[in-house]
């Protein structure tokens, strides 16, 4: 039994040693690549959490490659989410110049209420809502992109629409 613990990353001493030796390297790598120290630190923590969860499957000799791959994948997912969010926000802020000043004022007030309501949605609901309504993605495409089931997408969309309706009606 002692031999097994020494050959996997579940041994607390081995895990701590791996963390102390690899975490600074990983953080510096992520910071150099993505220029965001807070996200880099977060991704290091998340990568080591996943290592701990899968410690029995990862040999100490493979831990460095494992956490680097996990952290880089998480950072790329995070950046993709940010790009999608920015893309949607720019789409929502497009001004209209063909209407009367009164209409434009009312529209901008309503638009602000809608934007606030969308921003108030939980991340998963907001992401699904924007992907469907702005990017015109189908539920199947969204499910594939987010690596969730179509039922999960449907449920998130349903909850998002209910919440938006309630929040916008309260503000009108």
């Amino acid at each position: 039994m002692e031999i097994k613990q020494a050959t996997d990353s579940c041994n607390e001493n081995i895990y701590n040693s791996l963390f102390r030796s690899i975490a600074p390297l990983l953080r510096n790598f992520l910071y150099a690549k993505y220029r965001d120290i807070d996200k880099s630190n977060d991704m290091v923590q998340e990568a080591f959490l996943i290592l701990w969860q899968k410690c029995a499957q990862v040999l100490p000799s493979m831990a460095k490659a494992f956490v680097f791959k996990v952290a880089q994948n998480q950072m790329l997912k995070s950046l993709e989410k940010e790009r999608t969010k920015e893309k949607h926000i720019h789409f929502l802020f497009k001004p209209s110049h063909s209407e009367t000043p009164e209409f434009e004022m009312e529209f901008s007030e309503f638009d602000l209420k809608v934007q606030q309501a969308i921003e108030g949605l939980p991340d998963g609901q907001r992401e699904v809502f924007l992907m469907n309504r702005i990017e015109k993605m189908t539920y199947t495409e969204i499910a594939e992109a987010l690596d969730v089931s179509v039922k999960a997408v449907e449920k998130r969309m349903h909850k998002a629409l209910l919440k938006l309706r309630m929040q916008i009606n309260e503000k009108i």
Side-chain angles (χ1 to χ4, degrees):
M1 190 139 196
E2 287 296 317
I3 296 170
K4 175 155 177 38
Q5 285 185 330
T7 61
D8 67 36
S9 303
C10 293
N11 178 294
E12 193 171 336
N13 292 329
I14 292 174
Y15 180 84
N16 288 336
S17 174
L18 290 170
F19 182 82
R20 282 191 302 278
S21 65
I22 299 171
L25 301 172
L26 180 55
R27 185 197 61 239
N28 292 342
F29 168 78
L30 292 170
Y31 179 69
K33 194 161 184 165
Y34 302 107
R35 296 286 180 217
D36 187 331
I37 194 67
D38 292 330
K39 276 192 179 177
S40 297
N41 285 326
D42 290 345
M43 294 304 150
V44 169
Q45 293 295 323
E46 289 182 39
F48 274 92
L49 176 64
I50 291 171
L51 173 62
W52 183 252
Q53 292 168 342
K54 297 183 182 224
C55 65
Q57 302 160 357
V58 180
L59 295 173
S61 62
M62 299 302 294
K64 182 176 179 182
F66 178 82
V67 294
F68 268 72
K69 186 68 173 171
V70 167
Q72 186 162 357
N73 286 343
Q74 289 176 325
M75 185 65 84
L76 291 172
K77 279 183 183 179
S78 174
L79 291 173
E80 185 60 32
K81 271 183 159 179
E82 289 298 317
R83 275 189 233 128
T84 301
K85 185 177 178 181
E86 288 297 317
K87 180 178 164 184
H88 294 139
I89 288 173
H90 292 302
F91 178 83
L92 292 173
F93 287 116
K94 285 185 182 176
S96 170
H97 298 292
S98 61
E99 303 296 334
T100 66
E102 295 84 19
F103 177 82
E104 286 186 23
M105 185 179 78
E106 289 175 10
F107 181 79
S108 66
E109 289 174 3
F110 181 75
D111 189 44
L112 179 62
K113 291 173 187 173
V114 170
Q115 290 170 28
Q116 289 172 341
I118 291 172
E119 289 172 8
L121 290 173
D123 288 342
Q125 292 175 16
R126 181 176 54 248
E127 189 174 31
V128 167
F129 176 81
L130 293 173
M131 291 172 91
N132 179 256
R133 299 302 165 111
I134 306 300
E135 290 185 20
K136 305 296 185 203
M137 293 174 71
T138 66
Y139 286 179
T140 304
E141 292 169 334
I142 295 169
E144 289 173 8
L146 299 178
D147 197 26
V148 297
S149 70
V150 174
K151 276 290 188 196
V153 172
E154 290 172 357
K155 187 172 184 176
R156 289 179 188 178
M157 187 62 152
H158 177 72
K159 286 183 174 185
L161 291 172
L162 288 175
K163 195 168 202 174
L164 287 173
R165 259 186 226 115
M166 287 186 343
Q167 289 179 349
I168 292 170
N169 286 337
E170 285 176 4
K171 294 178 181 182
I172 292 181

